Amino acid sequence: MEKKVLFIIFSIVLISISPQVFAEDDLNTLLSEKNAVLVEQQQIIFEVERYSDIQVKHVIETGAWNEDRPRIIEVLPGAHSNLTVLDEDGDRLGFSHDAETFEESKYIILNQKLGNYDLVAEYTLGNFMELKDGLWTKELKSMGDVTVMIEEDIKLIFANSR
């Protein structure tokens, strides 16, 4: 009798506690759910101005794809906002992201691309540059090529400790 009472109490407690999920969407899960492909060939451009925020552009030059096989770009870490996805003529292209808002997302899901046009996904990366001793600095490490474009008003640039 005592075991039955304990079992009933334990069952009621278990049912009354709402489950919480702490797991994040894994890239492999996202790729399989969307039947998508991770974009590996891309040019990344950093547009640096006089402040801590920068503009980041992911440029995809080659290839075409349809909505049934979308492509995924990994967003650079940090506070990001103001996403636009355009072709080289400035026409908006369809996209989505893996979270409710772009600011919470880790990935951009690109719906389709025409073969003859470059695709440009652009967003603002907040507080990217760090102010040290009156100079804006940032150490960049990348597996691929990165282009850094600097505003014309900036007169002095140090790269690789030079």
Side-chain angles (χ1 to χ4, degrees), residues 115-130:
N116 297 335
Y117 295 93
D118 293 351
L119 181 146
V120 180
E122 181 176 359
Y123 54 91
T124 303
L125 198 56
N127 298 321
F128 183 77
M129 302 293 283
E130 300 163 0

Side-chain angles (χ1 to χ4, degrees), residues 18-25:
S18 63
Q20 295 182 358
V21 178
F22 296 102
E24 294 181 14
D25 276 15

Side-chain angles (χ1 to χ4, degrees), residues 30-43:
L30 181 64
L31 290 172
S32 64
E33 284 177 0
K34 300 285 184 183
N35 189 32
V37 176
L38 183 66
V39 172
E40 293 181 6
Q41 284 190 313
Q42 61 180 313
Q43 178 184 14

